[in-house]
Structure formats: C-alpha cells, structure tokens
Amino acid sequence: MKKEKITIEHLLSSNSPSNIWDIVGTVHGWACWLADEVKQEQDEITFVWGQVWRHHEIRKARLISSKSFNAIRLQWEDEEDPEAFVEIRMERTDLTGHYMLIITDFAEPSDIEQLKDIWQDNLSRLHQATGL
C-alpha cells in the first residue's frame, strides 16, 4: 500500500542559520532531540532509541541528499515504499526573518496520527534541549 505524505511545520525561535543547522541537520544535533544515539558511516545513518538493557530500537537510514543550511533527506533501510522518505528542511520566513522547520514524512493512513504525535514529541524534545 502506498503511504501518505505528511508535512509538519514548526516555527523556530532563532534567526541564526548555523545554530539551527547544527541541531536539525547534523548527526550530532539529532542525538539531542531525535534519537538517543545517532551514528553515521558514509551514507548510512544509525538511530538508536532506548537502552540496551531495556526497550531498545535500532533503525538505519540511507542519506539521499543533503544541502547545508537547507535540507536533509533520508530513506529508512526497511522502507518498502520507494517514494517514501523523511526530510528535515529549514526555511526563513519573509515576515519575521525567523526560521521554520518543515518535516516531511510518510505513513500508512492508519498510522498518520501516531506519526504526527511522534514528531510533536520530537519537536518538544528539540525545544527542551536547545530552546529552538
């Protein structure tokens, strides 16, 4: 079954592209808000949630594209829909000069609300860890 695309927009409380990109576009930054541990070897990125001795999940993604200070796109290794990806993009708003974080992801229709909740939790962690 083809997955549906979802887009989540989040206003960031910063107008510094380098500070934002360090947090939303790098492996080191993702370890602050997106997963408990993130490692990269060439185009393979490994995300780890939880502790080895407790609930533990590992997922791998392939880096599809990355443009500094703009967007990064990944595809999960176990993704069956060839058109599905995860994109984290930052865009400057014309009105205030602040940046928006725009997340694009894909889910089965029955999983859309759960995926949105996961992203909202991640965005809360982003704000708590960095103030963005």
Side-chain angles (χ1 to χ4, degrees):
M1 173 185 280
K2 187 174 172 130
K3 293 185 173 184
E4 291 185 29
K5 180 176 165 180
I6 64 164
T7 302
I8 298 168
E9 295 183 358
H10 178 75
L11 182 63
L12 300 170
S13 57
S14 175
N15 58 3
S16 170
S18 60
N19 288 344
I20 294 169
W21 187 253
D22 285 344
I23 295 166
V24 304
T26 67
V27 171
H28 173 72
W30 292 338
C32 295
W33 67 281
L34 197 54
D36 295 318
E37 183 180 341
V38 186
K39 296 179 187 175
Q40 182 173 1
E41 285 188 35
Q42 297 177 340
D43 287 345
E44 182 180 90
I45 302 172
T46 303
F47 295 83
V48 179
W49 294 271
Q51 303 298 325
V52 174
W53 60 88
R54 297 174 66 196
H55 177 73
H56 187 68
E57 183 178 354
I58 299 173
R59 287 192 77 192
K60 293 185 179 195
R62 183 176 55 85
L63 179 64
I64 296 172
S65 65
S66 177
K67 183 176 178 187
S68 292
F69 306 105
N70 183 278
I72 191 160
R73 186 178 285 193
L74 311 168
Q75 186 172 49
W76 294 113
E77 182 180 76
D78 57 356
E79 181 58 64
E80 294 177 11
D81 184 344
E83 296 180 21
F85 58 86
V86 176
E87 182 178 77
I88 300 172
R89 183 168 29 108
M90 56 185 268
E91 286 186 6
R92 189 173 192 146
T93 62
D94 292 331
L95 188 59
T96 66
H98 282 86
Y99 283 86
M100 293 287 293
L101 188 61
I102 302 166
I103 298 164
T104 304
D105 204 344
F106 290 78
E108 299 287 340
S110 61
D111 295 333
I112 288 175
E113 289 307 313
Q114 181 182 5
L115 185 60
K116 286 180 180 180
D117 288 344
I118 289 169
W119 276 112
Q120 289 305 322
D121 287 346
N122 288 335
L123 292 170
S124 292
R125 284 177 56 180
L126 171 67
H127 183 70
Q128 290 171 355
T130 67
L132 290 180

